[in-house]
Amino acid sequence: MALSKTETVNLGTLEVGNGQFLVIAGPCSIESYEQFSQTAQSVTDSGAAMIRGGMYKLRTQPHSFQGLGKEAFEIVKRVKAEQNIQFISEITDPRQISDFLEVVDVFQVGSRNMHNYALLKELGSIDKPVVLKRGFSGLIDEWIFAADYIRKGGNKNVVLCERGIRTFETATRNTFDLNAIAYIKKHSDLPIIADPSHATGDSDLVPSMALAAAAAGADGLIVEVHPDPPSAKSDGFQALNLHQFRNLMEQLKQILPILGRELTTKAN
Ligand code: PEP
Ligand code: MN
């Protein structure tokens, strides 16, 4: 497996791309202190090294839940202080950067913003890492160039995230491009993680695609997890419940050593 080409990138106090396997997990959207705190505690107990949670959501329909926005910041601060855990969230507008710097350890650029060069340039001049999701219609080369926009500004801590692309196939929410993971490993020095939640849009398909991503050479995963997926305010159909996530982590812990990878644990 061509791991040697991949540069090591710092995600907060954690490292990606050095043969370790980093799992980020949490809800699509932060909905309440209870929901976020319970999820964070459970996913880290199961082996996740970092938590995710959307504060501002880019929804296809304007009447869908748009995220708690500013209200989520207080929830995040409290959970991070109580649980001593690192946090990633999607930035949807360059004007949010200074607020985000207070609570996020890692910035997530979502699929809809891969081509937002104004945002990418701004993120190039900050000193926090960025996970750059692939645009759902983005070519691999365009995605690498988008990462270069961030790196050109001096911010070298960029990690790609394959989250599925739009194809003629409509049976699943997106088409998970496993080729892209192997291709990036061969042609780029950027670490790459995979998002089997958005790639499939179906919680039943998430565990197998998560394991497939690991086998394809991914440096980690970002997985949507919710304590009660049917009640989730966004993307509940693709969220694992706490028990399902624990089972996935147990499987990963068995498979990763065979793949020559070690699970990264939550660092302090
Ligand atoms: C998300 O991570 O919740 C999200 C909106 O992902 P994407 O940008 O890949 O659609
Ligand atoms: Mn989501």
Side-chain angles (χ1 to χ4, degrees), residues 19-25 43 46-49 176 193-196 206-225 240 243-264:
Q20 297 277 118
F21 194 85
L22 177 101
V23 179
I24 304 168
V43 296
S46 297
F176 190 26
I193 64 171
D195 174 349
V206 168
S208 42
M209 290 301 100
L211 300 176
D219 297 293
L221 298 170
I222 182 164
V223 184
E224 288 190 340
V225 180
L240 298 183
H243 174 72
Q244 290 167 326
F245 179 73
R246 178 172 294 272
N247 284 344
L248 168 59
M249 293 305 293
E250 292 312 314
Q251 286 185 293
L252 271 172
K253 284 173 195 168
Q254 289 181 30
I255 279 176
L256 288 173
I258 299 166
L259 298 170
R261 237 85 53 74
E262 201 183 322
L263 187 69
T264 303

Side-chain angles (χ1 to χ4, degrees), residues 93-227:
D93 186 317
R95 290 169 292 191
Q96 295 159 350
I97 289 182
S98 58
D99 286 345
F100 265 56
L101 283 169
E102 286 179 30
V103 291
V104 302
D105 300 281
V106 181
F107 284 78
Q108 176 178 326
V109 175
S111 188
R112 288 155 191 79
N113 271 317
M114 187 200 87
H115 296 283
N116 184 342
Y117 301 121
L119 176 62
L120 302 180
K121 282 182 192 169
E122 287 290 330
L123 293 174
S125 64
I126 62 166
D127 67 356
K128 288 217 170 156
V130 179
V131 167
L132 175 65
K133 288 198 163 194
R134 181 176 180 183
F136 48 73
S137 298
L139 299 178
I140 295 175
D141 283 348
E142 292 170 339
W143 187 23
I144 295 171
F145 285 133
D148 288 343
Y149 263 98
I150 303 170
R151 298 202 289 185
K152 190 163 183 276
N155 186 353
K156 304 294 180 204
N157 288 317
V158 183
V159 175
L160 300 178
C161 176
E162 163 61 35
R163 49 77 73 205
I165 51 173
R166 186 169 282 185
T167 68
F168 60 79
E169 181 57 73
T170 56
T172 51
R173 184 178 188 184
N174 288 291
T175 296
F176 190 26
D177 188 4
L178 273 175
N179 284 355
I181 296 171
Y183 182 95
I184 291 291
K185 284 284 148 194
K186 180 174 176 192
H187 294 281
S188 170
D189 60 349
L190 289 155
I192 180 166
I193 64 171
D195 174 349
S197 308
H198 293 88
T200 61
D202 180 345
S203 58
D204 289 337
L205 308 187
V206 168
S208 42
M209 290 301 100
L211 300 176
D219 297 293
L221 298 170
I222 182 164
V223 184
E224 288 190 340
V225 180
H226 194 286

Side-chain angles (χ1 to χ4, degrees), residues 28 52 57 173 198 224 234-235 238:
C28 179
R52 62 151 287 153
K57 299 304 299 178
R173 184 178 188 184
H198 293 88
E224 288 190 340
S234 62
D235 288 355
Q238 66 191 31

